Amino acid sequence: MKLFFAAILFVVCFFLSQKIGAQDDYKYEIGGMLGTSFYMGDANKTKLYQDPGLSAGVIFRYNKDLRWSVKSNFVIGKVSGDTRKSGNKFPYDRQMSFSRMFYELGSQIEFNFFNYSDKFSYLGTKRISPYVFTGIGITFGSGKKTFLDANIPIGVGVKYKLKDRLNLGFEFSFRKLFSDSFDVTTKDEANLDAPYN
C-alpha cells in the first residue's frame, strides 16, 4: 500500500455573503491553496519532503458552526520518487524512478479546537485556531499507465482570521491510497508494483 503526502502551505479563504443564523458571521468560504506535495512508498519509505513538487488547488468550505466545517477541494500537484535515494535494497539491484502529475477531488470534515471567529467574544471565540480533519477523496494520476484510486486524507492545520472576510491557513496532510501502483507510470517500472512480491 502507498502513502501519499501533501503539505498545503497557504490556504486563503474569502467569506461569501450568507450569514450564520442571527450571528453576524459567514457560513460559506471559497478560496485557493498553494503548497508542496511529496511521495512516500516503495521508492521512498521514510524521508519526508524528499523531491517535493508544486501543488495548487481550490477549496469550498461550509461552516456549520464555530467548531465544525465541511470542506471540498480540487488539487493538482506533482510527485516523484527515485529508488537510488530510498535506502532500500531492491531485487537484482534494480533502480527505478518515476514522476507524475496527480489530480485529487475530495471532501473533509474539520474540527476547530477553539470557537473560531473575530466576533462573539462572549462565546470565547479566537481569531486563531488549530484544527484536525479527515474525509474521503479520489486520486487520478497521469502517465502512460494512469492511476485511479480512493484516498483517505488525515491532517492538521491552523487558521487565522486576518479580518472579517479573509482567512489565512497552513495545513499538513497525508493521503492513504489503497493500491500499490501510484508509482508505476509505465510498463518498464512495473517492479515498483509490489517489488518484493
Side-chain angles (χ1 to χ4, degrees):
M1 299 227 182
K2 289 282 176 283
L3 287 179
F4 160 66
F5 284 73
I8 304 302
L9 295 182
F10 296 103
V11 182
V12 180
C13 303
F14 296 92
F15 288 83
L16 296 181
S17 60
Q18 186 162 346
K19 298 178 180 180
I20 299 179
Q23 297 176 340
D24 189 22
D25 215 343
Y26 296 89
K27 184 178 273 191
Y28 299 106
E29 302 174 24
I30 188 168
M33 58 177 71
L34 179 66
T36 60
S37 53
F38 62 97
Y39 152 91
M40 295 192 79
D42 290 325
N44 177 23
K45 292 285 190 184
T46 60
K47 298 174 184 174
L48 299 178
Y49 288 102
Q50 182 167 283
D51 299 321
L54 186 66
S55 60
V58 293
I59 65 167
F60 176 81
R61 182 182 282 120
Y62 166 71
N63 298 304
K64 181 181 180 296
D65 55 34
L66 300 177
R67 290 285 183 114
W68 292 95
S69 300
V70 177
K71 179 177 71 179
S72 295
N73 63 265
F74 176 70
V75 179
I76 300 172
K78 185 176 183 180
V79 291
S80 60
D82 191 332
T83 59
R84 288 168 290 197
K85 301 177 183 179
S86 71
N88 294 343
K89 183 78 170 176
F90 288 85
Y92 309 109
D93 289 323
R94 287 181 289 196
Q95 302 296 332
M96 304 302 298
S97 63
F98 82 98
S99 178
R100 89 175 334 152
M101 295 292 296
F102 71 88
Y103 307 85
E104 180 198 276
L105 183 64
S107 291
Q108 300 100 42
I109 296 174
E110 294 180 348
F111 174 74
N112 299 318
F113 285 94
F114 305 134
N115 286 334
Y116 181 65
S117 179
D118 59 348
K119 305 179 185 70
F120 322 121
S121 58
Y122 62 92
L123 295 175
T125 57
K126 307 284 186 186
R127 294 177 70 99
I128 187 169
S129 180
Y131 62 95
V132 294
F133 63 90
T134 189
I136 192 165
I138 189 164
T139 300
F140 172 78
S142 63
K144 292 181 180 178
K145 189 171 182 180
T146 59
F147 174 86
L148 184 65
D149 194 16
N151 71 62
I152 294 180
I154 299 173
V156 297
V158 62
K159 57 180 79 167
Y160 177 72
K161 188 175 284 291
L162 293 171
K163 57 183 182 178
D164 185 33
R165 303 179 77 171
L166 182 63
N167 287 337
L168 179 66
F170 172 86
E171 67 182 43
F172 176 85
S173 63
F174 70 89
R175 269 62 172 164
K176 170 68 174 138
L177 300 175
F178 295 94
S179 64
D180 194 49
S181 58
F182 183 71
D183 48 14
V184 181
T185 57
T186 70
K187 292 181 180 178
D188 294 337
E189 296 168 346
N191 66 309
L192 283 176
D193 190 355
Y196 303 104
N197 293 321

